[in-house]
Amino acid sequence: MLFIYRLPFTMLVLRKSVKMVWSLPEVMRVAYAFMFVMLLWMGLWSFGAAGVVASSLGESGCWWLLVVLSVSLFWTGAVLCNTVHVIVSGMVFLVLIHGGREASSIPPNSLIKSLQYAVTTSFGSICYGSLFTAAIRTLRWEIRGVRSKIGNNECLLCCVDFLFHLVETLVRFFNKYAYVQIAVYGKSFNHSARDAWELFQSTGVEALVAYDCSGAVLLMGTLMGGLVTGTCTGVWTWFESRDRVSMVGSTAMLMGMVLVGLAMVVVESAVTSIYICYAEDPLLIHRWDAEFFNQMSEMLHQRLQHRSARAREVLTHTRLDAHSA
């Protein structure tokens, strides 16, 4: 039910992000080029996976080799996604700084420069961050979902709260907003992640980011693409070799998720860039879209009021418990 209440604001942010990306057709061409590179890598990777499946190593040995290959596929996909993320973030930030796509002050060949910067100077930070960001974000969402369903079990709630705070600490060092800082300022990954999180907390925008579910919506789209791919491949494998349905189907599902995720990252990059811009200088968003700026400001005010009310409520309950004890 909490997700339903957040959905209108989430869809607003997603619509504005799509509007921003739609005004940058050259960015979409870069995304298509990276999808083609990913398809080539998947073609090469599938030969290795097919060799493992057809080998006589036994089911246990095949599974372990497929796990290793899956990690390599996941990391390569994450690196390509985050490279696109840096390129798109740099372009979106540039458009917002200059007041729109049609501004004459935008430097020429900015896309080429952003691409060169992503695959040279920032490539080490991209590869490093790609090892952790997606896994930690997924773990954070799972723990948050479990936490919201726990009732009065104080012991279990305490354990889950400990895990949640641990993951929140990791998010401070491995978050997707770091790539915007990398694209714009050329910082290292850890430095960028820390600065982005401190910026959100100092301005209160972190409350808005926590309320937004655009990442979860895009993740569901990625999972849906993987499920469709895995199901179709599994049905085909059922008629060809029934004893390998789970192995081939799960591998195809992972490949589908990586490819669809590469397409989704373009919109996600626009979302993260908008939040960073709003935290650094809200007037950038106001100059781009005044109505959207007013809607974000109103929602931020509501979220900060809600947090203050909850903090007062917790403090009141704590004092009452102390007096009753």
Side-chain angles (χ1 to χ4, degrees), residues 28 31-32 35 81 257-268:
M28 295 304 301
Y32 295 147
M35 289 179 70
C81 285
M257 286 176 58
V258 170
L259 195 59
V260 175
L262 190 55
M264 295 288 185
V265 77
V266 179
V267 179
E268 187 176 26

Side-chain angles (χ1 to χ4, degrees), residues 51-103:
V52 170
V53 173
S55 66
S56 56
L57 295 174
E59 187 173 351
S60 177
C62 286
W63 272 110
W64 277 110
L65 284 176
L66 281 177
V67 167
V68 174
L69 285 173
S70 297
V71 170
S72 70
L73 178 65
F74 177 81
W75 190 23
T76 304
V79 168
L80 292 178
C81 285
N82 290 327
T83 303
V84 175
H85 189 5
V86 169
I87 296 170
V88 176
S89 299
M91 288 299 299
V92 170
F93 210 93
L94 193 66
V95 168
L96 290 174
I97 286 176
H98 291 274
R101 182 67 181 85
E102 297 78 15

Side-chain angles (χ1 to χ4, degrees), residues 195-218:
D195 287 352
W197 201 259
E198 289 177 356
L199 175 66
F200 282 156
Q201 289 195 318
S202 63
T203 57
V205 177
E206 191 269 335
L208 202 61
V209 171
Y211 187 73
D212 176 31
C213 295
S214 57
V217 172
L218 295 174

Side-chain angles (χ1 to χ4, degrees), residues 115-153:
L115 176 61
Q116 290 176 344
Y117 180 76
V119 298
T120 54
T121 306
S122 299
F123 195 66
S125 295
I126 291 171
C127 292
Y128 170 66
S130 299
L131 277 173
F132 307 103
T133 48
I136 291 174
R137 282 164 52 200
T138 304
L139 184 61
R140 184 192 191 194
W141 286 326
E142 291 293 335
I143 292 178
R144 181 176 290 172
V146 172
R147 188 187 185 196
S148 64
K149 295 177 182 178
I150 295 176
N152 297 322
N153 192 327

